[in-house]
Amino acid sequence: MDMPISAGSGVVDRSKKNITIRRLLLQLRAFIALIILFTFFAAYSDGFLNENNLIILTKQVAINAILGIGMTFVILTSGIDLSVGSIVGLCGMVAGALISQGLRIQALDAVVYFTFWPLVVIVLIVGMIIGLVNGILITRFNVAPFIATLGTLYIARGLAMLMNNGATFTNFADPKLGEPAFVKLGSEKLLALPYSIWIMAVMGVIAVFLTMKTPFGRQIFAIGGNKRAAQLSGVRVKSVTMLTYVISGLCSGMVGLIIASQLRASHPATGEGYELNAIAAVVLGGTSLSGGRGAIGGTIIGAFVIGVLNNGMTLENVSSFWQQVITGIVIILAVIIDQVQQRLQERNMV
C-alpha cells in the first residue's frame, strides 16, 4: 500500500538544501573573494600579472600569512596577540646586531660572529621568549590577553629602539661584518619562487597538521569552544594556551628575519601595524574571534585577499588613505559575515 507523501516535505527538503548552499558559500567566502579580486585586477590593471609585481605580491602575502598562522593559534583559543608587530621589529634588530656587531663576551674580551643557522635559531628563540612572556602573563597572572600583549607590544618596541639608540643596522652583505649568506634568505629563489613563499608553505603545512591531526590541535579548539568544559575534560588549558603564544612569537621571529634579509638592514620601527594585518587575515579566513572555529588554510587565503587588494589598489594609484578605508570596510564585512555564519549554524543545531 502506497504511503501518502506530505506536501510540506518537499518544502523542508528545499529549505535544507538552500541552507546547505548558503553555508558552503559562507565557508568559501574568502576563496570566492580572492578569485573575484584576482580576476578583476588581472583584467583592469596592466601591470598586475607582471612577473616582478607578482613576486612583490607573494613576498608581502608571505609576511602576513606567517604572522596570521601564529595569530590563528592564539585566536582559536579566544585570545589575541597585539605584540606580533613589535616582536618582528625586535627580532630584526637582534639579527642586525648579531650580524653587524657580533656578540661581545666580556670575560674573554672577544666578539663572536654567528653563521646563518645559529643566527636564525637565536632570533627565533628571542621571538618565542616574548611569546612565552605573553603566555605567562595571561595564564599565570590572569591578565587579559588584550592588556598583556598590549604591554609587551610597548616593551618589545622599546627594546628594539634601545638596541641601537633608534638607529638602523646596515651593511648585512659585507663579509667583514658577519654572515653574508643571511641576505640570500630575502633575495634568492627556489624553483622561481622566493624563499619566503616556501617558508610560508612549510609553516602552513606544519600548522595544518598540528591543528587537524594532533591532540594539541583538538585541545586548542576545545579551549576556544568552552574553556571550562575543556578543563573538566582533562585538557591542560594553561599549558596549551601558553604554547599558542609561543608559536605566535616564533612566527613573528621568522618574519623579522625575512624582512631584515629582504631590506639588508634592521630598523627598530619595522613591523608597526603588522598585528592588524595578521588579525585581518585571520578574520577574512573565517576564524571566529570568539575562538573554537577556524582553519589555517583560511588564514593563508585571507592573507592573499589582503595582499591582492592592496597590491591592485596601489597599481591603480588609489590613495593610501582610501586603501586603509577600503581595507577596514572589508574587515568589518568579514566579521558581519562570520556572525551570520555562526547564527546559521546555531539555528541548525536547535
Side-chain angles (χ1 to χ4, degrees):
M1 182 176 180
D2 294 335
M3 296 295 294
I5 299 176
S6 172
S9 62
V11 176
V12 173
D13 289 340
R14 285 194 297 271
S15 178
K16 289 182 178 179
K17 185 177 180 180
N18 291 336
I19 291 174
T20 301
I21 293 174
R22 279 184 292 176
R23 184 189 302 173
L24 180 62
L25 291 175
L26 286 171
Q27 291 175 344
L28 296 176
R29 61 185 179 272
F31 186 69
I32 294 171
L34 177 60
I35 293 176
I36 293 173
L37 286 173
F38 194 91
T39 303
F40 175 81
F41 287 121
Y44 291 97
S45 180
D46 295 334
F48 182 75
L49 294 179
N50 180 274
E51 181 180 354
N52 290 332
N53 180 65
L54 291 178
I55 290 174
I56 294 172
L57 169 62
T58 54
K59 284 183 176 181
Q60 186 60 47
V61 166
I63 289 171
N64 290 333
I66 293 172
L67 283 178
I69 288 170
M71 188 69 73
T72 302
F73 279 93
V74 171
I75 292 180
L76 282 174
T77 64
S78 72
I80 197 75
D81 188 353
L82 301 179
S83 65
V84 294
S86 296
I87 297 175
V88 168
L90 176 59
C91 288
M93 290 297 289
V94 171
L98 292 176
I99 293 172
S100 300
Q101 301 177 349
L103 179 63
R104 178 171 296 278
I105 302 177
Q106 296 290 349
L108 301 177
D109 192 24
V111 178
V112 178
Y113 288 95
F114 296 93
T115 55
F116 177 76
W117 287 111
L119 174 69
V120 169
V121 171
I122 292 171
V123 173
L124 293 182
I125 289 175
V126 171
M128 293 168 69
I129 289 174
I130 303 297
L132 179 62
V133 171
N134 284 331
I136 291 173
L137 290 173
I138 293 164
T139 61
R140 305 300 177 183
F141 294 94
N142 295 320
V143 181
F146 183 91
I147 300 300
T149 57
L150 179 64
T152 51
L153 177 154
Y154 284 106
I155 293 171
R157 186 65 68 191
L159 291 174
M161 294 289 183
L162 288 170
M163 289 197 68
N164 201 27
N165 294 320
T168 303
F169 287 115
T170 57
N171 299 321
F172 281 15
D174 188 345
K176 296 179 182 179
L177 296 177
E179 174 55 51
F182 178 75
V183 301
K184 297 179 181 179
L185 180 66
S187 61
E188 294 196 357
K189 303 175 185 177
L190 178 64
L191 300 177
L193 291 176
Y195 282 157
S196 56
I197 288 292
W198 290 107
I199 294 171
M200 177 198 73
V202 170
M203 295 184 74
V205 169
I206 294 173
V208 169
F209 176 78
L210 287 175
T211 53
M212 303 302 294
K213 300 295 183 180
T214 66
F216 172 68
R218 291 189 289 272
Q219 290 168 356
I220 290 175
F221 283 100
I223 292 170
N226 190 319
K227 185 178 296 185
R228 179 59 178 165
Q231 192 171 27
L232 292 174
S233 64
V235 175
R236 301 174 63 183
V237 173
K238 291 184 178 181
S239 298
V240 173
T241 301
M242 191 181 302
L243 187 54
T244 62
Y245 286 92
V246 172
I247 292 173
S248 181
L250 171 68
C251 293
S252 302
M254 179 57 71
V255 170
L257 284 168
I258 292 172
I259 294 178
S261 177
Q262 289 175 347
L263 299 178
R264 302 190 178 194
S266 296
H267 191 278
T270 299
E272 287 185 348
Y274 280 26
E275 60 278 355
L276 303 181
N277 288 336
I279 295 171
V282 174
V283 172
L284 287 172
T287 297
S288 174
L289 287 173
S290 59
R293 177 166 53 83
I296 298 296
T299 295
I300 295 175
I301 294 174
F304 270 96
V305 170
I306 294 173
V308 170
L309 181 62
N310 290 337
N311 182 268
M313 289 192 294
T314 300
L315 290 176
E316 292 300 309
N317 295 317
V318 176
S319 166
S320 60
F321 306 132
W322 276 110
Q323 287 187 34
Q324 293 184 37
V325 172
I326 294 171
T327 302
I329 292 173
V330 170
I331 294 170
I332 292 173
L333 288 175
V335 174
I336 293 173
I337 293 173
D338 177 74
Q339 293 299 313
V340 172
Q341 180 183 358
Q342 187 172 350
R343 285 196 296 269
L344 184 62
Q345 290 177 343
E346 291 174 351
R347 187 184 307 166
N348 292 336
M349 291 175 63
V350 177

